Amino acid sequence: MKTTQQIHEYHLWNKLSKHRSLVSFNIELTARCNNNCHHCYINLPAGDTRAIEKELSRLEINRIADEAVELGALWCLLTGGEPLLRNDFSQIYLDLKKKGLLVSVFTNATLINTEIVQLFKQYPPRAVEVSVYGITAETYEEVTRKQGTFIAFQNGLKLLLDAGIKVRFKAMSLKSNYHEMQRIAEFCRSRSDDVFRFDPFLHLRYDLNEKRNKEIITQRLTPSQIIALERSDIERTDSVKKLCNQQQNATENTTASNLIFNCGIGKHDFTLGWDGTFRLCSALQHPECVYDLRKGNLKDAWLNFAPKVLNMRREPNSIDDCYNCRLVNLCSWCPAHSYLENGSLVTPIKDFCESAHARNKAFGVIDHQTSEHEEI
Amino acid sequence: MDIDLNTKYRITDDVVAREIEGELIIVPLTSGIGDLEDELFTLNETGRSIWAKLDGSHTLKQVIESLNQDFQDSSGSVEGDVVGFVKELIRMKMVITASDE
Ligand code: SF4
Ligand code: SF4
């Protein structure tokens, strides 16, 4: 019998996800970014001194990550803002790897240089996920609103790919790059075998900045633009059709109780905010759902605070629309985004709602007709 | 590959062992560990007992004697297990001789 066995991540994940236990966490290393994307929900200016002062130090990150490891976490995602903006990124990355964590990194790739590539080659990340805002300088910089960022993105990406670092791509679809989305998808799929995903649901800002929120709303695609985009992409069409077919299940799950959170948050992961906040998911900013890890500790947050949040309930016998809605899988609605949009955890999100109905009309009905037809 | 019973072996610093849900999981830290990229490893009971003793301060002979005592085994099968296991770990670059730095 072999003494050493290879073990796949999904085997471990399955084993760990049978009961509530910490298995992964995200760290927002900073809320700052060198880009200034129209649609971004977390980007303070790169040189924002007040933000820099509030950022967790390397020491604080290590203390919290040690606790996470002690609680059993195995996966860790470094995100931002732009995580590579931090001067101590490499040290923090290595600290986390040395704890036996499987570390992934989200980046816009503009700050990737030979030292970072060397680090990733020697100490491989589980994945590097790169956001692609356009594949021409014009479109890319229309989104990022910073000159020279397209060249920086191209150079950074080339360094990663030439070094054989595993890259996964993602894109947000907004008015500024809508016309280029198909070419963005082709660009990404031709450079990575990993799944490419694009998201047309632009979320509002974590800092609730009203002026920036207005900009985000103006950048949202209309329902018909979303449908056209999804129709033009076979992979996307298939996945939306699948979501349409899962409608009934969603209803059964969400009406089962008066719990506010039915989405599985807080069972296996959490987000460590750039300023030391503990959140059950990155978007959940409601003050009653946030714990300050600078004043407490992770064990207390995970074992005592989180269960209280997970047990928050709606008004008895309330019939909140989204909790009884068959389209919840199609609209990206959740209590966290409801709070960012409406200041309440349980209210529909108008723009998402319209898009969900349009998607159902476009893909749900077609799919049912097709399957009936096939059965004959 | 010859294994010298008078040599001291130790786990390399390029892997991290994690106890997760009762399993010992070996997480590669650097590239080139194991046969495939992106794999984690787990050890069976025998492997775990040997792993715990590969601390670089005892020769393999001492490790075998100590395991014989732990298992109260005089059949000689422990030696075969240890040598086989250490060979496997050296091939996968998880174990080095204590003098290799
Ligand atoms: S690159 Fe990413 S983090 Fe930076 S502004 Fe754009 S969307 Fe935000
Ligand atoms: S936002 Fe609209 S489509 Fe989405 S769950 Fe609520 S009611 Fe349903």
Side-chain angles (χ1 to χ4, degrees):
Chain A
M1 190 183 143
K2 225 169 165 326
T3 328
T4 321
Q5 270 188 346
Q6 277 165 358
I7 181 168
H8 293 286
E9 283 187 32
Y10 68 82
H11 162 83
L12 258 181
W13 183 276
N14 281 346
K15 197 169 168 187
L16 293 169
S17 56
K18 294 218 161 73
H19 52 92
R20 179 170 185 256
S21 62
L22 182 62
V23 294
S24 82
F25 62 111
N26 299 346
I27 306 179
E28 285 169 5
L29 285 182
T30 176
R32 297 172 295 124
C33 186
N34 55 323
N35 284 347
N36 183 24
C37 298
H38 282 291
H39 64 283
C40 187
Y41 55 80
I42 176 169
N43 65 348
L44 298 173
D48 187 322
T49 44
R50 277 180 59 199
I52 295 172
E53 277 164 23
K54 279 171 79 179
E55 277 169 13
L56 286 173
S57 67
R58 178 179 167 202
L59 201 70
E60 288 174 307
I61 291 171
N62 268 296
R63 168 182 67 84
I64 297 163
D66 280 338
E67 280 193 85
V69 167
E70 217 173 287
L71 286 166
L74 182 57
W75 289 269
C76 173
L77 166 68
L78 295 180
T79 178
E82 172 49 52
L84 290 171
L85 255 189
R86 279 191 64 138
N87 296 331
D88 52 3
F89 171 84
S90 299
Q91 286 103 313
I92 293 171
Y93 175 82
L94 212 49
D95 291 342
L96 296 167
K97 288 276 295 178
K98 286 185 175 164
K99 296 182 201 301
L101 287 161
L102 302 172
V103 184
S104 303
V105 181
F106 279 6
T107 176
N108 59 31
T110 58
L111 300 175
I112 297 282
N113 56 29
T114 45
E115 285 93 79
I116 295 288
V117 167
Q118 200 42 49
L119 175 76
F120 287 170
K121 269 189 89 161
Q122 197 180 348
Y123 300 96
R126 182 171 167 267
V128 176
E129 194 159 306
V130 173
S131 311
V132 182
Y133 304 114
I135 51 150
T136 57
E138 205 189 356
T139 306
Y140 191 94
E141 291 173 11
E142 162 60 28
V143 176
T144 64
R145 296 186 286 189
K146 282 277 166 80
Q147 269 198 349
T149 48
F150 183 62
I151 292 268
F153 157 75
Q154 282 182 309
N155 291 342
L157 183 59
K158 186 170 183 318
L159 283 174
L160 286 171
L161 295 175
D162 286 354
I165 311 287
K166 209 165 55 170
V167 173
R168 185 183 299 152
F169 293 104
K170 64 170 187 273
M172 295 305 295
S173 324
L174 53 152
K175 292 237 166 84
S176 294
N177 66 9
Y178 176 64
H179 60 284
E180 213 165 275
M181 272 318 291
Q182 269 175 283
R183 287 171 63 205
I184 292 175
E186 280 160 26
F187 174 94
C188 296
R189 288 189 179 124
S190 67
R191 283 165 178 76
S192 169
D193 296 334
D194 218 321
V195 275
F196 161 69
R197 56 193 175 86
F198 64 86
D199 189 351
F201 292 96
L202 305 185
H203 296 140
L204 294 187
R205 289 182 67 90
Y206 292 175
D207 60 9
L208 309 176
N209 181 317
E210 281 181 30
K211 187 167 162 262
R212 295 294 308 255
N213 273 347
K214 278 191 191 134
E215 282 173 29
I216 294 174
I217 291 169
T218 1
Q219 281 289 338
R220 280 181 178 161
L221 301 184
T222 63
S224 50
Q225 283 175 318
I226 294 177
I227 305 297
L229 201 58
E230 291 178 329
R231 277 220 170 102
S232 68
D233 190 283
I234 298 171
E235 278 184 32
R236 184 68 176 206
T237 308
D238 286 348
S239 61
V240 180
K241 280 184 178 178
K242 272 189 202 129
L243 285 176
C244 288
N245 286 331
Q246 286 164 10
Q247 289 169 26
Q248 196 52 45
N249 295 343
T251 319
E252 281 159 14
N253 290 341
T254 53
T255 50
S257 73
N258 271 342
L259 289 172
I260 288 181
F261 299 101
N262 292 293
C263 54
I265 60 156
K267 289 212 174 100
H268 305 297
D269 50 12
F270 75 94
T271 289
L272 171 58
W274 59 282
D275 54 356
T277 50
F278 164 93
R279 310 196 299 268
L280 291 179
C281 99
S282 71
L284 186 55
Q285 301 282 347
H286 189 287
E288 279 176 48
C289 306
V290 172
Y291 178 102
D292 187 351
L293 285 169
R294 277 183 161 140
K295 293 189 181 139
N297 60 67
L298 183 63
K299 210 168 165 197
D300 182 41
W302 181 256
L303 297 176
N304 301 321
F305 175 75
K308 284 186 202 145
V309 175
L310 295 179
N311 203 29
M312 282 168 74
R313 290 178 192 257
R314 297 173 279 137
E315 292 297 313
N317 307 320
S318 68
I319 315 177
D320 298 309
D321 291 349
C322 298
Y323 289 86
N324 292 286
C325 177
R326 294 170 64 237
L327 304 188
V328 70
N329 279 347
L330 288 174
C331 72
S332 191
W333 183 89
C334 76
H337 291 124
S338 167
Y339 173 72
L340 294 178
E341 301 271 336
N342 310 310
S344 135
L345 288 166
V346 294
T347 326
I349 300 171
K350 188 177 155 285
D351 288 347
F352 295 178
C353 197
E354 283 169 15
S355 299
H357 282 90
R359 286 169 110 188
N360 185 48
K361 205 166 161 204
F363 299 108
V365 177
I366 288 170
D367 194 55
H368 290 306
Q369 280 176 349
T370 318
S371 49
E372 274 170 28
H373 195 67
E374 279 168 0
E375 275 168 28
I376 300 168
Chain B
M1 179 199 320
D2 285 336
I3 298 291
D4 178 4
L5 296 187
N6 292 312
T7 299
K8 295 171 180 172
Y9 292 92
R10 72 170 180 87
I11 309 301
T12 127
D13 295 334
D14 293 338
V15 297
V16 183
R18 302 270 318 266
E19 171 93 37
I20 294 177
E21 292 277 307
E23 276 191 73
L24 192 76
I25 307 292
I26 314 297
V27 183
L29 181 58
T30 56
S31 52
I33 302 286
D35 301 322
L36 294 166
E37 287 291 328
D38 280 344
E39 286 296 339
L40 305 175
F41 302 87
T42 179
L43 304 181
N44 68 12
E45 275 310 306
T46 315
R48 287 181 69 146
S49 333
I50 306 169
W51 181 275
K53 291 188 191 289
L54 295 175
D55 58 6
S57 54
H58 300 92
T59 65
L60 220 46
K61 200 186 262 173
Q62 290 167 324
V63 169
I64 293 163
E65 278 162 14
S66 160
L67 285 165
N68 273 332
Q69 275 176 17
D70 292 351
F71 297 144
Q72 302 195 335
D73 187 323
S74 53
S75 68
S77 67
V78 169
E79 181 170 326
D81 284 344
V82 171
V83 170
F85 182 60
V86 170
K87 268 189 186 171
E88 195 180 327
L89 292 183
I90 290 176
R91 187 182 61 74
M92 295 203 287
K93 302 202 184 77
M94 291 190 197
V95 155
I96 53 174
T97 58
S99 54
D100 290 348
E101 292 299 340

